[in-house]
Each structure stands twice: as C-alpha cells, then as structure tokens.
C-alpha cells in the first residue's frame, strides 16, 4: 500500500508540474508579473511541506518537523539544483543572484532560530511575518516585464500569437491551468508523504534522521518533477525560480507554522547546523559565481548522498 501511494503521488506530481510549466509564461502575462517572479511565488510555495511539519509538531514530534523543513531545503539546494544544472544551462543573471541572496538569508535566519535550542511561538510568528514581507517585496519588484533567457523568447512568441488571436484566447485560462497544476502538485505531495510515513514506521531510525532524509525527500518530490517538466518545456528558469522560492518558503513559513502549532524543541543541533550550512553555501555560490559548469551539478548531488549517509550512520 505504501508503494502504491508513493506511485500515485508521483503521478499527480508529474501531471501537476507539466500543467504548471506549460502555462506559467502566459499566466505571468495575465497578472502582469514576471514569469520568474510568479514561478518563485507559486512553485516556491510548499504547502505540503508546511502541512507535514505542522502535523509532526501537533503530534509532539519536533525533530521530525524540523528535520522535514531543513531536510527539504537540503534536497532542493543539492539534488534539485544539481539535476537542473546537469540537464539545462543555468544563467546566473542579476535576478537569479538577487533571489539567491534572499533564499540564503532566509535559510540563515532559520538556522539561527533552530540553533537557539527551541523555536517558540513568537519566533514562529516572526518567521511567518518575514515570509509575508518577502512576498510583498516580490510582488512590488516583479510588477514589471523583465523576462530572462528562453522566457524572453517564449514571451515574444506569445506576443506574436496574441496579436493575431487576441479574441480567440481567454486571458485567464493559463492562470486556471497553473492553479490546477499547483493543486495537483499539492495533492501528489500529500499522497507521497502518506506512503513515505508508512515506510518510515518500519525503519527504527531517529525522528531527526528520518525527517532530514526520507520524509524530506518525499515532500520535495514535486520540485524534482518540476526540473524535468521545465526542461522539457524549454523554461529551466521556472525550475530555478521554484527552487529559490521553496528554500525561502520552507525556512520561514513552513518552520514558522509548525512552531505556532506547538513550540519546537531542537534535538540534534549538529545535524541541523550541517544541513543548513550546505544550503547557505549553495545559495552563496549562486549569488557570487558568474557561471555554473555542469560538473558542479554532480558535486551537489554527491554532497547530498554523503550527507544522507552521515545522517543515517
């Protein structure tokens, strides 16, 4: 049953990411926000991550909640980003660097809060408020048309078709498809989590180790699917924006909501520090490097494998 649930959830994730990646560009035009900004806001939102961490917190499993949040960011910053670098060229524009700085700063704030030993409700509310501030700033900054890379070509093509078929194409349908894809991604993530939890019950490992590895990998599955889908659609920038947005969301909203549900006592601070350090280092690299060679993607994936082996030692 666990394997069936995981397979069904993976199918929902793939279907959702296909719809999301295919319609993100015209949807961005509808709401007059850059495609990169919309992808960071929508694909970066991780409600299934917040839900999983909140359930673990409610069940008084703080290490599982914290491990899920920090572990998901580890998966995104290493495996997801690494695979994206391997399968598609990543352009490190000023927009990417700016978002990488924000994501890295959010991860650093989360690490600072967690390493305090306890994430209390006031700190959780502060993290949620920080996320809302970031969303407000994103919306303000991205209410302009700064397409990048292949997104610029896609928008140019859309302009040509819009001039000829303006009366035949409902402007809001792409947004509806993006929303439908997003809902499918959420449902797939929830189903995958349920299946993963059934498998986790039989491992006998600590909550911290399982949260940082198995559960985090399951709840981050839609980001891995988004890489493949965005690559097939010729818009790898969408997947890159989603990874940066997801790191910021998990470090603020997901951790904050879990702490509001129930204050979190941190167990394995060493593991939390190591995982957070890798995430911050990956974001710092994106913010400072001029280009990312494809072999560096393999290094990121290898770093994840080594970290998981250490966590499950």
């Amino acid at each position: 049953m666990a394997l069936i649930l995981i397979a069904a959830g993976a199918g929902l994730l793939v279907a959702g990411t296909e719809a999301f990646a295919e319609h993100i560009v015209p949807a961005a035009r509808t709401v007059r926000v850059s495609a990169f900004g919309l992808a960071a806001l929508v694909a970066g939102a991780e409600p299934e991550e917040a839900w999983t961490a909140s359930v673990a917190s409610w069940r008084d499993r703080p290490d599982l909640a914290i491990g899920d949040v920090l572990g998901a960011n580890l998966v995104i910053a290493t495996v997801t980003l690494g695979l994206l670098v391997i399968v598609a060229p990543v352009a490190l524009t000023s927009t990417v660097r700016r978002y990488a700085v924000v994501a890295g700063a959010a991860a650093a704030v989360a690490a600072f809060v967690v390493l305090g030993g306890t994430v209390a409700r006031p700190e959780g509310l502060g993290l949620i408020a920080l996320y809302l501030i970031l969303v407000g700033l994103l919306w303000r900054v991205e209410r302009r048309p700064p397409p990048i890379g292949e997104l610029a070509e896609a928008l140019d093509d859309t302009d040509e078709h819009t001039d000829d078929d303006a009366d035949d194409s409902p402007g809001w349908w792409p947004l509806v498809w993006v929303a439908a894809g997003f809902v499918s991604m959420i449902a797939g993530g929830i189903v995958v989590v349920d299946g993963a939890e059934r498998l986790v019950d039989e491992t006998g490992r600590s909550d911290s180790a399982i949260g940082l590895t198995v559960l985090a990998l399951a709840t981050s599955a839609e980001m891995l699917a988004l890489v493949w889908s965005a690559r097939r659609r010729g818009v790898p920038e969408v997947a890159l924006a989603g990874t940066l947005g997801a790191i910021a969301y998990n470090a603020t909203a997901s951790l904050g909501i879990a702490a509001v549900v129930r204050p979190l006592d941190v167990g394995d601070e060493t593991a939390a520090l190591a995982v957070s350090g890798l995430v911050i280092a990956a974001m710092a690299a994106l913010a400072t490097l001029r280009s990312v060679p494809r072999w560096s993607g393999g290094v990121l994936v290898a770093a994840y494998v080594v970290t998981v082996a250490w966590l499950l030692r």
Side-chain angles (χ1 to χ4, degrees):
M1 180 57 68
L3 294 177
I4 291 174
L5 287 173
I6 292 175
L12 288 171
L13 290 170
V14 172
T17 52
E18 283 287 321
F20 183 89
E22 182 178 2
H23 296 91
I24 186 66
V25 172
R29 292 180 58 84
T30 299
V31 296
R32 300 183 182 279
V33 176
S34 76
F36 193 96
L38 185 61
L41 181 61
V42 180
E46 297 274 83
E48 73 283 357
E49 208 72 64
W51 172 82
T52 304
S54 298
V55 170
S57 177
W58 178 258
R59 295 176 179 175
D60 199 19
R61 306 288 287 273
D63 281 340
L64 198 59
I66 294 172
D68 179 45
V69 172
L70 299 183
N73 276 355
L74 174 66
V75 174
I76 294 169
T78 55
V79 179
T80 301
L81 186 58
L83 292 178
L84 179 61
V85 170
I86 292 173
V87 303
V90 174
L92 297 183
T93 64
S94 59
T95 302
V96 173
R97 293 192 184 93
R98 182 169 62 249
Y99 278 78
V101 169
V102 172
V109 170
F112 177 78
V113 171
V114 169
L115 293 178
T118 302
V119 186
R121 282 196 175 97
E123 292 172 317
L125 291 173
L127 290 172
I128 295 172
L130 176 59
Y131 174 72
L132 295 177
I133 291 172
L134 292 177
V135 170
L137 291 175
L138 182 149
W139 191 262
R140 179 181 178 85
V141 170
E142 297 296 350
R143 293 286 287 182
R144 54 183 172 74
I148 59 176
E150 296 182 19
L151 290 180
E153 300 176 7
L155 288 177
D156 290 339
D157 293 339
T158 304
D159 284 335
E160 296 176 3
H161 291 297
T162 301
D163 293 337
D164 299 331
D165 306 318
D167 297 332
D168 299 331
S169 302
W172 288 96
W173 273 114
L175 197 61
V176 172
W177 275 107
V178 168
F182 184 56
V183 170
S184 180
M185 290 164 65
I186 295 173
I190 292 174
V191 174
V192 166
V193 167
D194 191 30
E197 287 180 336
R198 291 170 183 252
L199 293 178
V200 164
D201 289 339
E202 303 299 326
T203 63
R205 299 288 181 174
S206 68
D207 281 5
S208 179
I210 294 304
L212 287 166
T213 55
V214 179
L215 189 57
L217 185 60
T219 55
S220 303
E222 83 281 358
M223 295 306 300
L224 300 175
L226 181 60
V227 169
W228 172 252
S229 183
R231 173 66 180 85
R232 289 184 62 248
R233 301 293 178 182
V235 284
E237 293 92 343
V238 168
L240 179 57
T243 60
L244 299 179
I247 289 173
Y249 180 93
N250 288 333
T252 54
S254 294
L255 183 60
I257 292 171
V260 169
V261 171
R262 186 191 293 267
L264 304 172
D265 292 326
V266 184
D268 193 345
E269 295 186 13
T270 301
L273 177 61
V275 169
S276 298
L278 278 176
V279 174
I280 295 170
M283 294 302 98
L286 283 182
T288 56
L289 294 177
R290 293 296 177 182
S291 62
V292 181
R294 290 195 172 186
W295 59 262
S296 63
V299 173
L300 287 173
V301 176
Y304 174 77
V305 173
V306 172
T307 304
V308 169
W310 175 69
L311 291 171
L312 295 177
R313 68 193 185 284

